[in-house]
Amino acid sequence: MRTLRLFVTAATALALAACSGGGAVDGTPGGSGVRDPYFPKAGNGGYDIGHYDLALDYDPASGLGGDAEGDTEAGHLSGTATITARATRDLSAFDLDLKGLDVEKVTVEGRDARFNRAGQELTVRPADELKDGETFRVTVRYSGEPETITDADDSEEGWLPTADGAVGLGEPTGSMAWFPGSHHPSDKATYDLTVTVPEGLGVVSNGELRDERTRDGRTTFTWHTAEPVASHVVTVAVGEWKTGRSTTDDGLPVYTAVDPTQAGASRKVLKQIPEIMDWAQKNFGPYPFSSTGAIVDRDEDAEYALETQNRPYFPGTPDTVLLVHELAHQWYGNSVSPKTWRDMWLNEGFATYAEWLWEEDHGGDTAKETFEALYDGTYYDDEDESDSVWAFPPADPPDAAHLSDSPVYQRGAMVLHKIRETVGDDAFWELLSGWSAAHRHGNADTADFTAYVEKSAPHEDFTEIWADWLRGDGRPESP
Ligand code: TRP
Ligand code: ZN
């Protein structure tokens, strides 16, 4: 990447020298979003990010441990984000997504850049225009008390203060509360995170821990992620951690970080990680990343688990099936990321079907039985919940508030089961691993998936499955 940048910069300098005084203005602003159907301003137009280098400094608020109500306040975050990106057209300006926080300084290719802010858009106007194909480096220096973002479905995300620190949880748009970037899953990148906290606290993130050093009462942790990550599954978890290191049978590093209050309760389930990884690789194909593990915080620290890349985050000790769900997301959701948030069922339908398969293989209900119970309405005790599965088709949630509803999860898994019934077990397992291989470290949408299924079983007819189960309204007439 460095060679390329030098080359392009030299070429640009020549090109500029050739025109009148280098002052030609033919670029246009990159645009505020990538027109996601649910989050139109998420991500940004006109460039692609290759790498984030985030240097963060965090001080939890004084009075750590919460106020009388148990609510913890956000502390102070300061950071420098160094982003390496490539222009995909001539740019006079471009946007980054950032919510809250104060921006102190922005540079592009080492030169001060003008910037302004409107809502979640940080618009940067570089001193020199960027040329189509040019690789450039932008740095943003920022600080403040990060905001908690309340999602369309009322869940909280962003930078969440916890009992003993904080955690960054990004799905779907929370990451913009703690670092500037292109916060849409279509723009994946590699990361280096260097996080400094008061001595005594620990920091866990994605990828692998490269360094840890203490000076003058502060400890700096350096984490490196070599495989592309979508920003909503980037995490930093600050707190008191009991860390554990082991390896799977294949030699894959397992790194776990557990809040001391969860240490006893989580020991047994976390010990299953190597066995789950082994099982998952047999079913889903080679693991796409260079390490695995888990982060277990306290129950009250967040409202949901998240498949943060390499090591999923759990508020409280997970059960085995939840651990299976979040680890399955490493293949489906993290390595194969959705093109837009409309394709979320490709994450959740697969991770839910992974749960059914785990149960089937470990003495529980078969996937067929789970499918039938959902169809009959006997899966849930409550009738409203049973009906909710049919509220909308998995491939078309009505709005952002419904992205994590049961049609996306359970009915998404039902679509996969219908495919399994149609093609048979052998072909279905080929399809599971083939799909994860076909889009490894990439992005895919529903049309890519249906085309893939059709191509892998050319003699079968999937018309009804797509029409009734994937895209149709209401409960299909027969199971
Ligand atoms: N993806 C998470 C899971 O299934 C759940 C989740 C957390 C979620 N935050 C979300 C889903 C926001 C949709 C939107 O494990
Ligand atoms: Zn999930």
Side-chain angles (χ1 to χ4, degrees), residues 146-157:
E147 300 180 0
T148 298
I149 294 177
T150 303
D151 232 349
D153 69 0
D154 273 343
S155 61
E156 291 191 334
E157 60 187 53

Side-chain angles (χ1 to χ4, degrees), residues 52 170 172 175-176 178-179 182-185 187-189 191 229-235:
Y52 289 82
S175 296
M176 63 181 76
W178 57 281
F179 64 97
S182 221
H183 291 298
H184 189 265
D187 195 357
K188 303 208 279 189
Y191 283 73
V229 199
S231 81
H232 72 279
V233 283
V234 173
T235 191

Side-chain angles (χ1 to χ4, degrees), residues 30-215:
S32 62
V34 293
R35 299 202 181 88
D36 185 274
Y38 301 91
F39 306 99
K41 285 191 180 309
N44 300 287
Y47 66 91
D48 275 319
I49 295 181
H51 186 73
Y52 289 82
D53 193 320
L54 304 177
L56 306 177
D57 211 294
Y58 186 65
D59 263 314
S62 51
L64 201 65
D67 59 20
E69 279 82 49
D71 287 332
T72 32
E73 274 176 55
H76 187 81
L77 179 71
S78 61
T80 301
T82 303
I83 295 169
T84 308
R86 195 169 45 78
T88 54
R89 57 185 136 110
D90 292 349
L91 290 172
S92 58
F94 61 88
D95 279 14
L96 293 165
D97 302 314
L98 182 68
K99 224 170 187 175
L101 300 163
D102 301 313
V103 174
E104 286 137 23
K105 186 182 170 74
V106 179
T107 70
V108 177
E109 287 296 277
R111 296 186 62 182
D112 279 7
R114 286 192 290 151
F115 62 90
N116 68 285
R117 304 191 66 187
Q120 69 184 54
E121 301 302 315
L122 165 63
T123 302
V124 177
R125 191 169 289 278
D128 299 315
E129 281 211 2
L130 299 165
K131 292 290 160 197
D132 186 9
E134 180 180 352
T135 300
F136 61 98
R137 272 218 296 196
V138 48
T139 68
V140 180
R141 217 169 67 199
Y142 62 100
S143 65
E145 275 178 31
E147 300 180 0
T148 298
I149 294 177
T150 303
D151 232 349
D153 69 0
D154 273 343
S155 61
E156 291 191 334
E157 60 187 53
W159 186 264
L160 307 176
T162 60
D164 57 356
V167 61
L169 294 180
E171 191 173 30
T173 62
S175 296
M176 63 181 76
W178 57 281
F179 64 97
S182 221
H183 291 298
H184 189 265
S186 56
D187 195 357
K188 303 208 279 189
T190 55
Y191 283 73
D192 282 296
L193 279 126
T194 305
V195 187
T196 303
V197 292
E199 185 175 358
L201 291 180
V203 176
V204 198
S205 183
N206 315 91
E208 289 83 49
L209 180 62
R210 282 283 172 83
D211 193 41
E212 173 184 342
R213 61 184 64 191
T214 300
R215 234 179 71 191

